[in-house]
Amino acid sequence: MRTARTDRTDPRQARKSALSVGLVLLSLGAFSYWRHHLLRAEILGSLGGFLLLLGLFAPRWAIPFHVAWMKFAAVLGYINSRIILSVMYYGVMTPIGVIMRLGGRDPLKRRHRASDSCWIPRAKTRQDRDQFERLF
């Protein structure tokens, strides 16, 4: 995994991170306030407001937050990609394969070969030989 270094992080990137996370936290705080979860609203609102102020007025001070946020995002991306790929394989591809096997479908025609070759002859080609002279 690549990690960001504080001496190479651009303050513009830190500003974007602080502003975007601050806006999301403020939105979550407003939603919590609307749902009458006052303690959660105060915590999320104050963190969001702090990050917004940090991003607007002191983007250089937001660099440590940006580096920590990118490390967290890298770890989360690593874990999520494994989970999503596993769910897609075992939840989507495996049932499709089982259903196809139970239904007798063999799209590659690997079973019941009449010959030793896997070649499937075509009845008629769609191209003339002249079309192969200039492919582009």
Side-chain angles (χ1 to χ4, degrees):
M1 274 187 281
R2 290 182 60 189
T3 57
R5 292 178 43 182
T6 55
D7 57 347
R8 293 188 183 174
T9 302
D10 189 18
R12 290 178 291 177
Q13 293 173 343
R15 175 185 296 236
K16 288 179 186 178
S17 294
L19 290 178
S20 60
V21 174
L23 283 175
V24 169
L25 288 176
L26 272 179
S27 301
L28 289 174
F31 181 71
S32 295
Y33 182 77
W34 179 68
R35 299 277 306 211
H36 303 291
H37 300 285
L38 298 180
L39 179 63
R40 188 181 311 156
E42 288 175 1
I43 293 170
L44 291 173
S46 61
L47 285 174
F50 175 73
L51 285 175
L52 275 178
L53 291 175
L54 197 65
L56 286 174
F57 298 114
R60 289 198 185 276
W61 290 0
I63 290 175
F65 168 76
H66 173 74
V67 170
W69 188 255
M70 290 297 114
K71 287 181 182 178
F72 173 71
V75 169
L76 196 62
Y78 180 82
I79 293 169
N80 279 342
S81 65
R82 272 43 177 195
I83 291 171
I84 290 170
L85 289 175
S86 298
V87 166
M88 286 295 293
Y89 183 76
Y90 291 111
V92 176
M93 300 305 287
T94 302
I96 288 174
V98 169
I99 291 169
M100 287 175 63
R101 279 185 180 254
L102 290 175
R105 178 141 163 79
D106 187 19
L108 297 177
K109 299 187 183 356
R110 294 184 301 167
R111 291 186 225 146
H112 309 296
R113 288 189 196 151
S115 65
D116 293 334
S117 173
C118 293
W119 180 261
I120 301 172
R122 287 175 35 179
K124 182 181 176 187
T125 61
R126 296 180 208 149
Q127 296 93 0
D128 296 328
R129 287 186 174 201
D130 297 335
Q131 290 179 339
F132 291 109
E133 293 293 324
R134 293 187 177 179
L135 296 178
F136 300 103

